[in-house]
Amino acid sequence: MTRRYDPDRRGRIIDAAIRVVGRSGIAGLSHRTVAAEADVPLGSTTYHFASLDELLIAALRQANEGFAALIGDAGGLADPGADVAAALARLTGEWLAGERTGVELEYELYLAALRRPALRPVAAEWTDAVSEILSAHTDPTTARALVALLDGICLQVLLTGDTYDEAYAREMFGRVLRGGGPCGAGAPAGDG
């Protein structure tokens, strides 16, 4: 039997894994389900990915590119004098308004790192990439706090099914950037 040259097979397997997880969750992921979804022989999935963790790492890495690419390419954050809170709130809204399955999948893969230590470095890559982009506008500690707030807001929207509130997000991002309460207030009264 002649082996057919298929340079896109690895990518198709990753895409298939993302679709399987999107449809059935991580519990539904197996080499067999991915092979069927990608329409490739079972041996192809195990050739390219010896373990399911390797496949999940590749899927998470690909999924991570979504939001980081969105904010990295965004005109609103490219300007050094940008209103970071407004731009980040708008971009978060655009991301959540996109294909909801994709956003849910990204978070499912991201949270899978809690139980699968092999995924943790890849989940951290997302945090580091977004923090680095935001660090161009603030200090690294505040950038990481913005990412934590972003994660919290997105998870609340995804878990509750509530509508994303851009004005609320803009205000909260602004508070983190200002270091405290509304309208630029710093430390709470009595601290000083």
Side-chain angles (χ1 to χ4, degrees), residues 40-182:
V40 300
L42 178 59
S44 289
T45 62
T46 57
Y47 171 79
H48 288 287
F49 304 98
S51 71
L52 288 180
D53 278 352
E54 285 182 24
L55 183 54
L56 282 169
I57 287 168
L60 179 57
R61 198 164 265 138
Q62 183 168 307
N64 279 350
E65 295 170 0
F67 188 72
L70 178 67
I71 70 165
D73 297 338
L77 288 173
D79 176 11
D83 180 342
V84 176
L88 191 54
R90 179 182 50 79
L91 292 168
T92 302
E94 288 176 15
W95 187 47
L96 288 169
E99 184 196 348
R100 191 60 161 255
T101 303
V103 177
E104 289 171 359
L105 169 70
E106 287 184 50
Y107 271 100
E108 183 165 358
L109 289 168
Y110 183 64
L111 293 172
L114 291 172
R115 300 268 185 232
R116 293 179 177 261
L119 296 177
R120 289 180 187 163
V122 183
E125 286 174 13
W126 182 87
T127 300
D128 293 343
V130 176
S131 293
E132 185 176 326
I133 292 164
L134 294 173
S135 288
H137 300 280
T138 188
D139 63 276
T141 302
T142 302
R144 289 188 77 78
L146 288 168
V147 173
L149 177 58
L150 167 69
D151 274 339
I153 289 171
C154 290
L155 281 170
Q156 285 179 357
V157 169
L158 293 171
L159 293 172
T160 64
D162 287 344
T163 303
Y164 173 69
D165 184 344
E166 185 174 326
Y168 167 78
R170 183 177 55 249
E171 174 64 22
M172 294 304 105
F173 291 138
R175 287 184 185 194
V176 170
L177 285 160
R178 291 187 299 268

